[in-house]
Amino acid sequence: MTQSAISHQIRVLEEFLGQPLFSRNNRHVDLTDAGIDFLQTVAKSLGLLADGVNRLEFYKKPGSVIIATNSSLGSKWLIPRLPKLKDSYPDVDPWIFPYQDPIDLTHAEIDFVIWFGDGEWPGATVEKLFDDYVTPFYSPALVRKHGIPQTPADLVNLPLLHDERREDWRAWFSAAGVEHADTVSGVNFGDFGMSLDAALAGQGVVLGNVSLAAPHVEKGDLVQPFSTLLPTSDAFYLAYLPQHFSRPPVEQFYKWLTAEVTGTNS
């Protein structure tokens, strides 16, 4: 733009705002107090716009795959396995999106939903990933304080952690042959990932999902004291729209996930 064009645009802006933004003294042009104030507003606005433009780059990442899952399943099952995904498909960049309410995949920009439930997801193709079971888990720190339970009945003497699943302590104690156990006392959680975190912190014994606790058992952070497993009425499922498989990263993630579930990943 020429200097005259810039001067014209400044005059138009000042007329629009109804006040001068510059004081013109001979050959010097300085901002007025109003101009200084407006400059700060414009700088912030342009900075915010620039940030927004930069953020758009994430939406066109060639390897992006968007996976919706709840916080417990994402943090306890999916995230610990992401290094394996990157080893198999280095160009796949997962974008993990936490959700609470059902998602209409026909209108959402989401490639996969991984969830623990009854397998009903209207308008989508659904595959069962695996069934699951619950059994007690506790941290080594807990038994150092309270002693190692020798029988399932000994768990009654330890602080029990509860969540809102149908398969509760009463059902597990009954399956283990323990009747009339106190299965009410203890801290309650609305999320099974939080109850597992409490067990990891040594706060009690959790009746946890075997699949979610497995990495912690392998590392020695949790102990599975007994072999009695209680099957859950819900299972882990995958929902998706087949047309998303036209993008290679989506197909690659699907191949990795199904191989991870079946144990065929090397």
Side-chain angles (χ1 to χ4, degrees), residues 3-48:
Q3 182 176 348
S4 61
I6 294 174
S7 298
H8 174 71
Q9 291 298 324
I10 290 175
R11 286 196 298 272
V12 171
L13 180 61
E14 289 178 325
E15 290 174 2
F16 176 77
L17 296 174
Q19 57 185 307
L21 300 177
F22 297 89
S23 60
R24 298 163 179 84
N25 303 310
N26 296 325
R27 287 174 161 252
H28 298 285
V29 179
D30 300 307
L31 285 170
T32 63
D33 289 343
I36 293 173
D37 188 297
F38 191 55
L39 174 62
Q40 295 174 349
T41 301
V42 171
K44 289 180 180 178
S45 300
L46 291 178
L48 183 62

Side-chain angles (χ1 to χ4, degrees), residues 6-261:
I6 294 174
S7 298
H8 174 71
Q9 291 298 324
I10 290 175
R11 286 196 298 272
V12 171
L13 180 61
E14 289 178 325
E15 290 174 2
F16 176 77
L17 296 174
Q19 57 185 307
L21 300 177
F22 297 89
S23 60
R24 298 163 179 84
N25 303 310
N26 296 325
R27 287 174 161 252
H28 298 285
V29 179
D30 300 307
L31 285 170
T32 63
D33 289 343
I36 293 173
D37 188 297
F38 191 55
L39 174 62
Q40 295 174 349
T41 301
V42 171
K44 289 180 180 178
S45 300
L46 291 178
L48 183 62
L49 181 61
D51 289 341
V53 171
N54 290 334
R55 285 185 57 80
L56 291 179
E57 293 297 315
F58 289 102
Y59 294 93
K60 64 178 184 180
K61 289 171 63 176
S64 179
V65 177
I66 303 177
I67 306 109
T69 187
N70 61 47
S71 58
S72 297
L73 184 54
S75 63
K76 303 301 180 188
W77 193 86
L78 180 58
I79 291 177
R81 290 171 167 78
L82 291 183
K84 295 182 181 180
L85 169 64
K86 299 301 289 185
D87 288 342
S88 299
Y89 299 102
D91 295 332
V92 174
D93 290 325
W95 187 333
I96 301 174
F97 175 77
Y99 81 94
Q100 296 295 333
D101 300 320
I103 300 171
D104 183 357
L105 292 182
T106 59
H107 295 92
E109 294 183 82
I110 293 174
D111 298 307
F112 297 102
V113 178
I114 303 174
W115 89 103
F116 183 72
D118 59 8
E120 295 294 327
W121 203 280
T125 299
V126 175
E127 296 182 19
K128 179 186 283 190
L129 294 176
F130 50 86
D131 293 306
D132 202 27
Y133 303 84
V134 292
T135 194
F137 297 96
Y138 53 70
S139 73
L142 183 76
V143 296
R144 284 196 294 268
K145 179 179 179 181
H146 295 276
I148 299 175
Q150 301 299 318
T151 67
D154 293 339
L155 292 178
V156 178
N157 301 319
L158 299 177
L160 301 182
L161 304 173
H162 307 266
D163 55 35
E164 297 181 353
R165 73 176 77 246
R166 297 185 184 94
E167 298 76 27
D168 57 13
W169 276 110
R170 180 196 58 78
W172 185 86
F173 275 120
S174 177
V178 181
E179 302 295 339
H180 310 299
D182 176 11
T183 60
V184 177
S185 301
V187 181
N188 289 70
F189 297 89
D191 177 88
F192 51 76
M194 294 176 65
S195 61
L196 195 62
D197 285 337
L200 285 164
Q203 297 177 12
V205 185
V206 65
L207 190 62
N209 295 76
V210 172
S211 57
L212 302 190
H216 301 290
V217 174
E218 292 175 4
K219 292 190 297 183
D221 297 330
L222 287 177
V223 176
Q224 178 185 332
F226 304 110
S227 60
T228 301
L229 304 179
L230 190 66
T232 59
S233 56
D234 290 333
F236 292 93
Y237 292 91
L238 179 71
Y240 58 88
L241 299 181
Q243 55 264 38
H244 287 206
F245 282 56
S246 61
R247 295 182 52 240
V250 174
E251 184 177 7
Q252 290 169 349
F253 179 85
Y254 175 80
K255 288 180 179 179
W256 170 82
L257 181 65
T258 52
E260 184 68 21
V261 168

